[in-house]
């Protein structure tokens, strides 16, 4: 079981990035996929997530209206579209997976996930 994030980089405030989370060794079909981030000196925090069982999504208050999580079944991938980026969004972003089925909600805590990617750096300059 392996998760691989990609799509991070350096962007100016107000810009956009799309992160991808691809799975190998298993299919996402009945998993919940979460997006987390960790800034230097801070704890890892939940940002968003999606239930592959029924499409339920959740967003942290800090990213609502700016970030969108989506899923591509054919590509066995999940995406995090990040718009209107702010310097405070700077962090290493991780995707994580938890086996389901999970319907009607999405886990948002670090300890609720079993598998993690290696992370991708997102830096937003002011």
């Amino acid at each position: 079981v392996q998760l691989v994030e990609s799509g991070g980089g350096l962007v100016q405030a107000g810009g956009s990035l799309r992160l991808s989370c691809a799975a190998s060794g298993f299919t996402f079909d009945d998993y919940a996929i979460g997006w987390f981030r960790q800034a230097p000196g801070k704890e890892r925090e939940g940002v968003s997530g999606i239930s592959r069982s029924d499409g339920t999504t959740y967003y942290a208050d800090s990213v609502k209206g700016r970030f969108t999580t989506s899923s591509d079944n054919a590509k066995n991938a999940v995406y995090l579209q990040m718009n209107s980026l702010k310097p405070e969004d700077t962090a290493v972003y991780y995707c994580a997976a938890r086996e389901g089925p999970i319907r009607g909600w999405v886990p948002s805590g670090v300890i609720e996930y079993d598998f993690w990617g290696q992370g991708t750096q997102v830096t937003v300059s002011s």
Side-chain angles (χ1 to χ4, degrees):
V1 173
Q2 187 175 13
L3 299 172
V4 179
E5 304 95 336
S6 61
L10 173 64
V11 65
Q12 288 188 331
S16 298
L17 284 173
R18 189 178 81 152
L19 305 184
S20 299
C21 177
S24 62
F26 71 106
T27 58
F28 276 155
D29 289 356
D30 265 338
Y31 279 72
I33 306 299
W35 286 101
F36 293 79
R37 66 187 181 187
Q38 188 166 19
K42 294 188 176 181
E43 293 188 352
R44 193 170 298 188
E45 63 175 359
V47 173
S48 180
I50 185 168
S51 164
R52 292 269 302 208
S53 300
D54 66 0
T56 301
T57 56
Y58 98 93
Y59 299 94
D61 288 343
S62 58
V63 306
K64 279 181 183 176
R66 301 188 298 122
F67 289 12
T68 303
T69 292
S70 61
S71 177
D72 186 329
N73 292 355
K75 294 184 178 180
N76 204 33
V78 171
Y79 306 100
L80 182 66
Q81 177 67 43
M82 305 186 295
N83 299 328
S84 302
L85 283 162
K86 304 174 181 180
E88 51 263 45
D89 293 319
T90 295
V92 178
Y93 283 71
Y94 300 88
C95 67
R98 167 176 164 166
E99 188 171 7
I102 296 174
R103 297 186 177 90
W105 68 288
V106 181
S108 60
V110 171
I111 63 172
E112 297 181 277
Y113 285 85
D114 304 308
F115 308 107
W116 291 82
Q118 83 290 348
T120 185
Q121 177 69 47
V122 171
T123 303
V124 184
S125 63
S126 57

